[in-house]
């Protein structure tokens, strides 16, 4: 959830840290802070409630000198968002400073023990407990800071990514992780630290991904080679060899490119990102799909008695669409599970099960824990992720990257369509290999995949029309979204987008379920969005719309171009090009993304950083 950035080298640290915080602000924006060691050996901490701009204003007249520092942007877990609870936190002596992403589950027990030893606490956070524990361990065990960190973390239950400064050692930065991402950037006589690669890309493309229960010591004391200035051990002091990887990320991908918001940019990027997702997988003749993650492990899929899809939020909606496609094309039973529920019950998992984990960031804590549980039971783990080198793909047996580039807007858009694309390709691959899909249907869908980016361009051409609809419906306090078959999950996703960024209560339902309860809510004040492409159960959903209109409901319908039936009874229509049924979600979701975006803009909401939300949910 929170964003971590650190620097040690010859440059001034503060500008690098602040720029890094801005890049990481999508991870949390309740408060922000920075710790710096200046040339006189003073450890200065500056913190502010709110966004990074508030921190900049507060620190504008402060001493921000120094070539080593750590910084943090917070999404609150323990303690309300305020300046006291903001990171970094001092230790009792104010010799150490720490920043932390994650949750220390046994912090209350540790805190009680430290209080008995005379330690006092200024904040309500679990993070302050951790820095006090490190200092207590160092003082009482008479060990160096790295060893104190190792010993302290052996007592910790929970997840963490931490960075620690010691003002008596201004040439050393120590960090560690378990369950929360952390990456080290390697420069020329300088090192960078961050929750993800976005703050690093401007300075280096050489990175080290820190693994669970590893402690990294970064130093610039001029003693030894570059390799010796990056020391990695486990919390049990087992030495690890750093593995440097090349970062495939460009600075231009992190800019808005002239759009007012990242979310709008990412909506309009979808024709390109879906093309990128298919590149090298759908051949130039558009008559075959090749997914290496499937080809290398086809027997596990062909022999699977069941497929379990586990995910959270928007990724869960993509998983629901995949269930329809896999069962249709591959004839394998599919269960779609919320990771947060799956991991805490006692699921029956067999060795011939395939578990598909879906996560944009590849760091979603509940999904990571779910696949670790499944792996312990012998299931085959296949992941659909966007971020190369993230924790979930590293833990998985195989997988497929979506390759959409960084998604900065908190409300997921291009990641969703790429996940649906990847999962549809996987379903087609399994079905073809099993012989459960006809060659004619296989070719029809594969060839239509290649047409989807251009058809999305046509939908995006209605942006002005959708913006006008948004002005009409921004008054609403509640929305209902309805869909059937492949487009029921699209209704769920459309409702989620509206809730996330406009703070309007919205619920998605299977259209046929409306008469089992939700129809009681229908009135002129309750807009109903109906996803009604001309395929599948079209006639049934027409009947559902008539039921709404009979009760004076106002209907916004997403229909196929040239529709002559729904267009006559709905109040407003948004057209999408015709396509095969299994690919309709890739088109019908686009108007819902735009509708949510424009309603939020009309209401004056912070589209890219909606309240209470963060991009990557790396804590439970």
């Amino acid at each position: 959830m929170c964003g971590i950035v650190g620097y040690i080298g010859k440059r001034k640290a503060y500008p690098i840290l602040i720029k890094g915080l801005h890049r990481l602000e999508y991870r949390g924006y309740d408060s922000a802070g920075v710790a710096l060691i200046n040339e006189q050996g003073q450890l200065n901490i500056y913190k502010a409630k709110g966004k990074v701009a508030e921190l900049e204003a507060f620190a504008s007249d402060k001493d921000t000198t120094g070539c080593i520092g750590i910084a943090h942007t917070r999404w609150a877990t323990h303690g309300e968002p305020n300046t006291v609870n903001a990171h970094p936190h001092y230790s009792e002596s104010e010799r150490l400073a720490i920043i932390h992403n994650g949750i220390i589950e046994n912090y209350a027990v540790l805190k009680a023990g430290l209080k008995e030893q005379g330690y006092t606490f200024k904040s309500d956070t679990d993070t302050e407990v951790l820095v006090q524990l490190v200092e207590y361990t160092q003082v009482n065990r008479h060990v160096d800071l790295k060893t104190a960190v190792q010993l302290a973390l052996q007592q910790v239950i929970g997840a963490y990514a931490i960075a620690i400064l010691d003002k008596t050692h201004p040439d050393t930065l120590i960090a560690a992780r378990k369950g929360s991402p952390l990456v080290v950037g390697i420069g020329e006589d300088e090192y960078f630290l961050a929750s993800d690669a976005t703050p690093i890309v401007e300075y280096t493309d050489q990175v080290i991904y820190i693994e669970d229960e590893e402690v990294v010591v970064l130093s610039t004391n001029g003693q030894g080679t570059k390799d010796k200035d990056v020391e990695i051990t486990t919390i049990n002091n087992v030495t690890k060899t750093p593995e440097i990887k090349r970062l495939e990320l460009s600075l231009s991908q992190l800019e808005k490119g002239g759009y007012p918001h990242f979310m709008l940019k990412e909506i309009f990027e979808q024709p390109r990102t879906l093309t990128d997702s298919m590149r090298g997988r759908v051949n130039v003749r558009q008559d075959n799909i090749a997914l290496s993650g499937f080809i290398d492990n086809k027997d596990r899929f062909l022999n699977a008695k069941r497929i379990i899809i586990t995910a959270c939020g928007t990724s869960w909606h993509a998983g629901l669409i995949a269930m329809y496609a896999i069962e249709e094309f591959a004839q394998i039973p599919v269960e779609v599970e919320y990771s947060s529920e799956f991991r805490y019950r006692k699921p029956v998992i067999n060795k011939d099960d395939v578990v598909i984990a879906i996560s944009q960031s590849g760091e979603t804590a509940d999904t990571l824990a779910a696949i670790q549980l499944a792996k312990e039971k012998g299931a085959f783990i296949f992941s659909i992720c966007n971020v190369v080198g993230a924790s979930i793909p590293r833990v998985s047996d195989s997988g497929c990257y979506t390759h959409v580039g960084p998604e900065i807007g908190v409300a997921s858009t291009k990641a969703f369509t790429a996940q649906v694309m990847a999962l549809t390709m996987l379903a087609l691959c399994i079905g073809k290999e099993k012989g459960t899909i006809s060659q004619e249907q296989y070719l029809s869908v594969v060839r239509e995949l290649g047409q989807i980016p251009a058809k999305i361009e046509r939908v995006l051409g209605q942006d002005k029309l959708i913006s006008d609809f948004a002005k009409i419906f921004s008054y609403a306090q509640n929305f209902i979204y309805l869909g059937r078959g492949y487009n029921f999950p699209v209704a769920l996703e459309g409702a989620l987008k509206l809730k996330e960024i406009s703070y309007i209560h919205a619920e998605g339902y299977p259209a046929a379920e409306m008469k089992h309860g939700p129809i009681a809510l229908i009135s002129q004040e309750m807009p109903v969005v109906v996803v009604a492409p001309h395929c599948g159960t079209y006639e049934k959903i027409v009947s559902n719309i008539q039921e709404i209109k009979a009760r004076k409901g106002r209907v916004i319908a997403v229909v196929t171009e040239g529709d002559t039936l729904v267009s006559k009874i709905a109040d407003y229509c948004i057209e999408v090009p015709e396509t095969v049924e299994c690919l309709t979600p890739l088109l019908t979701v686009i108007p819902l993304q735009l509708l949510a975006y424009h309603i939020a803009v009309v209401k004056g909401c912070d589209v890219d950083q909606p309240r209470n939300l963060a991009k990557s949910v790396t804590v439970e």
Side-chain angles (χ1 to χ4, degrees):
M1 285 290 194
C2 305
I4 286 174
V5 61
Y7 175 79
I8 179 171
K10 296 180 180 178
R11 307 191 216 191
K12 297 299 182 185
Y14 180 75
I16 295 171
L17 297 176
I18 289 295
K19 185 178 289 187
L21 287 185
H22 279 296
R23 295 254 170 84
L24 289 174
E25 200 164 18
Y26 67 94
R27 298 180 69 97
Y29 32 88
D30 290 338
S31 59
V34 61
L36 300 155
I37 302 176
N38 66 16
E39 294 179 359
Q40 291 73 44
Q42 294 175 314
L43 176 57
N44 296 314
I45 290 180
Y46 308 119
K47 305 191 286 186
K49 179 183 176 181
K51 297 188 177 183
V52 177
E54 302 297 325
L55 172 64
E56 286 185 276
F58 176 74
S60 61
D61 59 350
K62 307 294 191 299
D63 176 11
T64 56
T65 60
C67 299
I68 178 174
I70 54 178
H72 188 269
T73 182
R74 182 175 186 242
W75 187 85
T77 52
H78 289 82
E80 67 178 78
N82 59 33
T83 303
V84 174
N85 289 329
H87 301 203
H89 290 284
Y90 279 120
S91 63
E92 182 85 1
S93 68
E94 298 192 354
R95 178 173 58 84
L96 306 180
I98 192 172
I99 53 178
H100 167 225
N101 180 16
I103 293 179
I104 307 303
E105 295 176 8
N106 61 334
Y107 83 101
V109 174
L110 296 172
K111 187 173 186 176
L114 289 165
K115 281 185 173 180
E116 289 179 1
Q117 300 299 319
Y119 280 76
T120 58
F121 294 85
K122 298 176 181 178
S123 76
D124 300 319
T125 68
D126 53 341
T127 303
E128 189 182 8
V129 175
L130 186 52
V131 73
Q132 302 283 44
L133 180 62
V134 171
E135 181 168 276
Y136 171 79
T137 303
Q138 185 176 16
V139 171
N140 287 272
R141 298 286 291 271
H142 305 290
V143 294
D144 61 24
L145 182 59
K146 183 193 82 169
T147 304
V149 170
Q150 291 170 324
L151 293 172
L153 293 178
Q154 290 173 21
Q155 302 177 58
V156 163
I157 299 172
Y160 54 80
I162 61 171
I164 298 180
L165 292 182
D166 181 345
K167 70 179 182 181
T168 65
H169 293 282
D171 56 4
T172 302
L173 173 58
I174 295 180
R177 71 153 281 183
K178 179 184 178 183
S180 290
L182 208 57
V183 59
V184 172
I186 310 297
E188 291 295 327
D189 300 318
E190 61 182 356
Y191 302 98
F192 307 85
L193 185 73
S195 301
D196 61 47
T198 53
I200 292 174
V201 63
E202 184 173 347
Y203 308 103
T204 181
D205 63 356
Q206 303 296 304
V207 297
I208 300 169
Y209 294 102
I210 307 304
E211 302 288 349
D212 272 358
E213 296 192 338
E214 287 185 347
V215 178
V216 58
V217 180
L218 305 174
S219 60
T220 55
N221 53 25
Q223 300 175 9
T225 64
K226 180 180 293 187
D227 289 343
K228 292 182 180 178
D229 288 340
V230 181
E231 177 191 355
I232 299 178
T233 59
T234 67
I235 62 174
N236 295 311
N237 205 35
V238 176
T239 300
K240 305 297 286 291
T241 302
E243 183 181 355
I244 299 176
K245 296 187 177 182
R246 187 173 182 275
L247 188 63
E248 296 183 2
L249 182 67
S250 67
L251 189 59
S252 63
Q253 291 177 300
L254 306 178
E255 306 298 337
K256 291 180 184 175
Y259 288 92
H261 298 96
F262 279 110
M263 183 180 178
L264 187 62
K265 176 196 175 196
E266 288 157 5
I267 291 171
F268 272 82
E269 283 179 337
Q270 288 173 107
R272 177 184 61 78
T273 55
L274 289 183
T275 299
D276 290 344
S277 292
M278 289 187 285
R279 185 172 288 114
R281 293 165 174 168
V282 178
N283 67 6
V284 292
R285 297 187 304 276
Q286 295 186 358
D287 62 7
N288 192 44
I289 296 172
L291 291 178
S292 60
F294 169 75
I295 293 169
D296 296 341
N297 303 279
K298 67 172 65 175
D299 288 344
R300 293 305 302 257
F301 286 96
L302 299 183
N303 296 323
K305 298 289 193 300
R306 175 180 61 160
I307 291 176
I308 301 170
I309 298 175
T310 184
C312 299
T314 285
S315 296
W316 187 78
H317 298 156
L320 285 178
I321 295 170
M323 177 182 69
Y324 287 90
I326 293 170
E327 291 190 341
E328 178 182 354
F329 300 148
Q331 297 292 291
I332 300 173
V334 179
E335 298 174 11
V336 185
E337 303 274 0
Y338 281 115
S339 299
S340 54
E341 290 295 317
F342 181 72
R343 63 177 292 198
Y344 282 116
R345 69 173 206 268
K346 296 180 180 177
V348 178
I349 303 171
N350 301 308
K351 292 184 178 180
D352 54 8
D353 288 337
V354 171
V355 175
I356 299 177
I358 314 171
S359 169
Q360 187 281 138
S361 67
E363 301 290 350
T364 309
D366 287 319
T367 304
L368 182 58
I371 63 172
Q372 288 169 333
L373 170 65
K375 196 165 188 177
E376 289 170 4
K377 293 179 178 289
F380 178 78
I381 311 299
F382 188 91
S383 60
I384 305 288
C385 295
N386 183 37
V387 180
V388 176
S391 297
I392 288 174
R394 293 208 304 270
V395 170
S396 302
D397 298 303
S398 184
C400 174
Y401 285 115
T402 53
H403 297 304
V404 301
E407 188 178 62
I408 306 300
V410 167
S412 183
T413 52
K414 64 179 182 178
F416 171 76
T417 51
Q419 289 167 353
V420 172
M421 175 74 79
L423 290 159
T424 303
M425 290 192 291
L426 178 63
L428 290 166
C429 287
I430 302 170
K432 181 185 180 185
E433 197 68 31
K434 285 189 68 179
T436 49
I437 182 174
S438 69
Q439 181 69 3
E440 180 182 5
Q441 186 182 20
Y442 176 81
L443 289 175
S444 172
V445 179
V446 173
R447 287 168 180 163
E448 187 61 21
L449 278 173
Q451 306 305 310
I452 290 296
K455 291 184 176 183
I456 291 177
E457 289 278 12
R458 283 159 59 184
V459 181
L460 292 171
Q462 298 177 79
D463 180 55
K464 176 64 169 61
L465 173 70
I466 297 169
S467 175
D468 291 340
F469 289 169
K471 294 168 187 171
I472 297 170
F473 288 99
S474 61
Y475 73 88
Q477 300 295 311
N478 302 279
F479 267 75
I480 291 179
Y481 285 69
L482 302 176
R484 298 188 77 145
Y486 280 95
N487 287 287
F488 160 52
V490 174
L492 295 177
E493 176 62 11
L496 177 61
K497 289 284 100 50
L498 191 69
K499 283 184 280 194
E500 285 179 316
I501 62 172
S502 73
Y503 318 140
I504 294 173
H505 174 253
E507 295 298 332
Y509 285 93
E513 287 296 304
M514 181 186 62
K515 55 184 172 288
H516 295 286
I519 199 168
L521 300 172
I522 300 300
S523 71
Q524 289 182 317
E525 284 70 45
M526 171 74 82
V528 181
V529 178
V530 184
V531 187
H534 201 293
C535 56
T537 55
Y538 176 75
E539 289 77 13
K540 300 290 186 182
I541 207 162
V542 170
S543 297
N544 299 139
I545 296 172
Q546 289 169 332
E547 291 168 350
I548 298 166
K549 293 304 297 178
R551 290 155 180 84
K552 302 188 184 305
R554 302 179 73 189
V555 174
I556 306 169
V558 178
V559 299
T560 302
E561 287 176 347
D563 181 281
T564 57
L565 192 51
V566 172
S567 61
K568 291 180 181 177
I569 54 177
D571 296 275
Y572 304 92
C573 284
I574 306 167
E575 293 189 335
V576 300
E578 184 177 5
T579 189
V580 294
E581 184 178 11
C582 66
L583 301 184
T584 54
L586 295 169
L587 303 181
T588 56
V589 76
I590 306 299
L592 306 190
Q593 294 173 348
L594 288 169
L595 183 65
Y597 170 80
H598 286 297
I599 289 177
V601 169
V602 171
K603 288 171 63 68
C605 300
D606 191 336
V607 172
D608 286 336
Q609 296 173 358
R611 68 188 183 204
N612 301 333
L613 294 177
K615 183 65 178 176
S616 302
V617 185
T618 58
V619 297
E620 292 186 49

